[in-house]
Amino acid sequence: ESDNPATLNFVGTSHGRHYTIQEVELGEILLISSVKHKIDVKTLYKDTSSSLVNSSSMKASSFFGKPMKREVDDPFANFVSSGKKGLSSNTTSSTSSSFYHAADQIVTHLLTAEKVTISNPPEDQDLPLPPLDLQTCLKSVHQGTHTLQFRSLISQTHNLLTSLHHGYPVHRHPDLLTHYAAVEKKETLRDRVGTLRHLLSDESLRLFPDFLQRKNLLRTLGYISQDDDTVGIKGRVACEVNTCDELIVTELVFEGVLNDLHPSEIVAALSSLIFQEKNDDGWSSEDLPDTLVTCCETMRSIALRLGQLQKEHGLEIDPEEYRASSLKFGVVHVVYEWARGVPFRDICDLTSVQEGSIVRCITRLDELCREVRNCARVVGNPTLYRKCEEGSVLIKRDIVFASSLYVS
């Protein structure tokens, strides 16, 4: 048998105060103190089936509902007496004395907690030990019941209504509901107006910071004016390009990189802006003229400089990745030989790129030549204008631009 002399529902006396060992539900906890002591439950009572009572008799009353009626009038029914008759003969042993010693210590802790709370009552409270919300006191543990939360909300609502009723005479006005409805409608419309203003403002744009960064970049490059954001000549040139990166093409036009090249070299250099596959085996400086190689290196430096400027203006762009994604020289040699009149069968032997990819690249290259030609017209560069027209004529031949049997 267990050495513990007490069971649940035990009633005792210590330091002039009565205490009981009783099982309660979480929703029946009335007070929570700031003083904390660890209690060894096994020292206090013996948990046996004979000492437990049914659930209806364990609850002396319902905390939030109507009191539960007992079948007997004795308020200490189903409790074990602390006298000698209620305990066995072992109460005179050392185990009994150790139990009462532990009980005295626990009662001492409770009295200390009571004194601390009374001497330091919570703010804005009249009671020395007001009920507290378990979810606020024990945030790390999921405790509390819907009943406890409901009771807290009801108390707050009741206190608010009481203060409003006694503090503001307008709440007793006979036309209160009519005035309240008008105010509610006014506030609803005001909230709606605020929501619409936010939706129409720049703050509602999710990409608005990115927009500002790109606009600052355009100011730095001279595409728009510094004062009133008017589109400049470089901005108008960039608007003509839709096939590839317009910044690189615009810088090529304004720096005159393409002016001294042959039309076949111009279309070969522009193919690096169109080609999308990661294949550079067609690029070899030994098989190309020096002017074309120099142009390709200049295009690399321009792309790297633009990537660095974008990064300095806050855009999440890596300059090397920007250069690698914008310029791919896999078909430069292929397009150069094609513009010189080499048959399609022979240019396919110069690279491992699929024939369909070559045809698609040259077809889009013709569109880019027309866009660069329009850029030359905007800036007033007749030399580049005529060379782009001639380059477009050089690549528009043979099977690449033959009408498809599937669509004709």
Side-chain angles (χ1 to χ4, degrees):
E1 295 183 359
S2 175
D3 295 334
N4 301 329
T7 59
L8 289 178
N9 302 327
F10 177 82
V11 178
T13 304
S14 177
H15 297 283
R17 305 288 289 270
H18 292 284
Y19 66 88
T20 177
I21 302 177
Q22 187 177 3
E23 181 181 3
V24 296
E25 293 185 355
L26 184 63
E28 296 177 339
I29 297 178
L30 303 182
L31 311 172
I32 294 180
S33 174
S34 60
V35 181
K36 182 189 299 184
H37 290 284
K38 185 177 181 180
I39 298 176
D40 188 3
V41 180
K42 296 181 180 180
T43 309
L44 295 178
Y45 73 95
K46 177 178 64 175
D47 188 4
T48 60
S49 59
S50 61
S51 63
L52 297 177
V53 295
N54 55 48
S55 59
S56 61
S57 61
M58 285 177 61
K59 302 175 183 178
S61 62
S62 176
F63 183 68
F64 302 107
K66 296 181 179 180
M68 299 181 64
K69 296 183 179 180
R70 296 182 179 275
E71 296 180 356
V72 294
D73 296 331
D74 186 6
F76 292 96
N78 298 323
F79 283 82
V80 181
S81 175
S82 62
K84 295 182 179 181
K85 294 182 181 181
L87 297 175
S88 63
S89 59
N90 293 333
T91 55
T92 58
S93 62
S94 59
T95 304
S96 177
S97 60
S98 63
F99 160 74
Y100 285 110
H101 178 69
D104 290 341
Q105 290 183 344
I106 294 173
V107 173
T108 302
H109 293 327
L110 293 175
L111 294 176
T112 303
E114 184 181 37
K115 293 179 181 179
V116 170
T117 308
I118 293 177
S119 60
N120 298 289
E123 298 181 358
D124 301 331
Q125 296 288 345
D126 297 331
L127 297 177
L129 294 175
L132 300 179
D133 188 357
L134 288 180
Q135 292 184 344
T136 303
C137 300
L138 304 176
K139 294 182 179 179
S140 60
V141 182
H142 182 68
Q143 295 184 359
T145 62
H146 295 291
T147 308
L148 183 62
Q149 298 175 2
F150 179 74
R151 177 183 178 276
S152 177
L153 293 176
I154 290 298
S155 299
Q156 296 177 10
T157 304
H158 181 268
N159 294 335
L160 178 62
L161 292 177
T162 302
S163 61
L164 291 176
H165 181 73
H166 293 287
Y168 300 92
V170 68
H171 289 278
R172 298 188 295 273
H173 195 278
D175 297 333
L176 174 63
L177 296 179
T178 303
H179 297 318
Y180 182 84
V183 173
E184 182 183 18
K185 183 178 180 180
K186 178 181 178 181
E187 294 299 326
T188 302
L189 294 176
R190 180 179 298 176
D191 293 340
R192 180 60 177 170
V193 170
T195 303
L196 293 176
R197 285 179 178 175
H198 175 73
L199 293 176
L200 295 175
S201 64
D202 294 336
E203 289 75 9
S204 63
L205 300 176
R206 300 176 62 180
L207 299 178
F208 187 69
D210 184 77
F211 163 74
L212 294 178
Q213 294 167 355
R214 294 183 182 276
K215 188 168 71 171
N216 292 332
L217 173 65
L218 295 179
R219 287 199 189 101
T220 303
L221 294 174
Y223 287 72
I224 57 178
S225 62
Q226 298 287 342
D227 301 331
D228 52 359
D229 295 340
T230 304
V231 179
I233 184 64
K234 295 183 72 174
R236 292 173 55 192
V237 171
C239 292
E240 299 291 337
V241 182
N242 299 309
T243 308
C244 59
D245 194 305
E246 58 276 2
L247 295 181
I248 298 179
V249 175
T250 303
E251 297 300 321
L252 289 176
V253 172
F254 275 87
E255 293 185 13
V257 178
L258 305 175
N259 293 342
D260 298 332
L261 297 180
H262 188 270
S264 60
E265 296 174 352
I266 292 178
V267 294
L270 294 178
S271 67
S272 61
L273 295 167
I274 297 297
F275 188 60
Q276 298 296 327
E277 298 182 11
K278 296 181 179 180
N279 190 327
D280 289 342
D281 59 356
W283 166 257
S284 177
S285 59
E286 298 178 356
D287 302 328
L288 299 175
D290 295 338
T291 53
L292 180 57
V293 174
T294 303
C295 176
C296 293
E297 294 298 333
T298 304
M299 294 175 66
R300 288 175 183 266
S301 61
I302 291 176
L304 188 62
R305 175 169 56 86
L306 291 175
Q308 186 65 34
L309 284 175
Q310 295 181 62
K311 183 179 180 180
E312 292 176 357
H313 283 77
L315 297 175
E316 297 181 359
I317 294 179
D318 182 72
E320 290 293 340
E321 293 182 0
Y322 174 76
R323 180 194 61 78
S325 62
S326 301
L327 299 175
K328 294 182 173 62
F329 301 93
V331 293
V332 171
H333 189 198
V334 174
V335 174
Y336 175 70
E337 296 296 338
W338 175 255
R340 294 179 59 191
V342 178
F344 188 79
R345 179 184 60 184
D346 295 337
I347 67 172
C348 291
D349 296 334
L350 299 176
T351 181
S352 60
V353 179
Q354 297 293 328
E355 292 82 354
S357 299
I358 297 176
V359 172
R360 182 168 58 253
C361 177
I362 296 177
T363 304
R364 295 185 60 199
L365 182 59
D366 177 63
E367 182 180 355
L368 178 58
C369 288
R370 293 196 299 268
E371 293 176 353
V372 176
R373 182 192 62 186
N374 294 334
C375 294
R377 175 181 53 81
V378 172
V379 298
N381 189 342
T383 302
L384 181 60
Y385 183 91
R386 288 192 296 267
K387 287 184 177 181
C388 289
E389 277 190 337
E390 185 178 351
S392 178
V393 173
L394 292 176
I395 63 176
K396 292 181 65 174
R397 65 178 181 86
D398 205 359
I399 191 174
V400 174
F401 286 88
S403 299
S404 174
L405 297 176
Y406 297 97
V407 297
S408 62

